[in-house]
Amino acid sequence: MLLLAFDTATPAITSAVCEAGDDGVRVRAAASTVDARHHGELLSPQIDDVLAQAGTAFGDLTHIAVGIGPGPYTGLRVGLATAHALAEALGIGCHGVATLDAVAFASGREKPFVAATDARRKEVFWARYADARTRTGEIAVDVPAAVDTEGLPVIGHGARLYADVFGPQAAEPEPDYPTAAALGEVALRRLAAGEELARPRPLYLRRPDAAEPGAPKKVRQWQA
């Protein structure tokens, strides 16, 4: 299996080409950059670069994996739209991986911890993990003070942003962001194990800011 993975659900734009074989998963090429405002401009060139570094053409790919968030609407949609377009054009499978699962896997931790990313509005997206490979509950969104860490270490950009709230538990928050290398390895391991991956749809935990306009207000005509 030869898989292209990418994620745009955080300020990081990250892509990787990963390969699964009899000897396990190998990352053939990977790249990441942090730029919260230019996901749309940076993702496609980055994908072209990692494919070139891996010596791989689009036609060689057998799967695509994309981060499904949660994350800010605009950035998240860039990755998902790109994943759907590529998968449809190439006629290959497209799979979703929760962005926090990629952050957790990249940590390599073997003991329980909490992963948290920035949700804006002074909130974090967070979840508990038994180890880097195993999430133990659903992903939630809360103000940092409401996150029950149960005394566990907290990692991710959310931990770094609110270190004053999380205290000593956020002493070692790395990695701040997901890597596509981790996301791709998570996807390939699950595929090889016959596990069902998430559908490549955005994981939203709250309503968007935008709303449909209501009925126009009635305006009284002024008469002289």
Side-chain angles (χ1 to χ4, degrees):
M1 291 186 287
L2 188 61
L3 178 144
L4 171 65
F6 47 90
D7 189 295
T8 58
T10 73
I13 302 99
T14 178
S15 308
V17 175
C18 304
E19 184 176 25
D22 295 336
D23 56 347
V25 176
R26 180 168 70 97
V27 179
R28 291 177 55 169
S32 295
T33 187
V34 177
D35 188 328
R37 296 179 180 274
H38 296 96
H39 294 81
E41 295 90 338
L42 296 176
L43 178 61
S44 292
Q46 187 184 84
I47 289 173
D48 288 340
D49 287 344
V50 296
L51 286 172
Q53 292 170 28
T56 301
F58 279 108
D60 298 328
L61 299 171
T62 61
H63 298 274
I64 287 176
V66 61
I68 60 172
Y73 178 87
T74 304
L76 179 58
R77 296 295 296 188
V78 168
L80 285 162
T82 302
H84 281 283
L86 286 175
E88 183 173 351
L90 298 171
I92 59 178
C94 184
H95 312 282
V97 175
T99 297
L100 275 173
D101 289 355
V103 173
F105 190 87
S107 76
R109 289 175 176 259
E110 296 296 333
K111 295 182 179 180
F113 63 95
V114 172
T117 57
D118 181 22
R120 301 181 180 175
R121 305 183 194 175
K122 298 183 179 180
E123 294 178 325
V124 293
F125 299 120
W126 67 280
R128 291 192 190 89
Y129 291 81
D131 54 46
R133 299 167 297 281
T134 312
R135 177 156 43 91
T136 58
E138 297 298 322
I139 298 172
V141 58
D142 286 297
V143 295
V147 177
D148 184 5
T149 66
E150 299 182 352
L152 299 175
V154 187
I155 68 167
H157 190 223
R160 187 179 297 279
L161 277 177
Y162 299 103
D164 57 331
V165 178
F166 291 119
Q169 281 85 359
E172 298 180 24
E174 295 82 7
D176 282 14
Y177 301 114
T179 66
L183 189 147
E185 186 165 352
V186 169
L188 285 174
R189 285 174 177 268
R190 291 176 180 175
L191 286 169
E195 298 177 16
E196 185 176 354
L197 275 77
R199 300 180 72 178
R201 293 183 174 179
L203 177 60
Y204 294 135
L205 298 181
R206 60 190 180 200
R207 296 178 63 84
D209 292 330
E212 292 186 8
K217 294 181 179 180
K218 292 183 178 181
V219 178
R220 292 182 179 180
Q221 292 186 347
W222 181 81
Q223 293 181 346

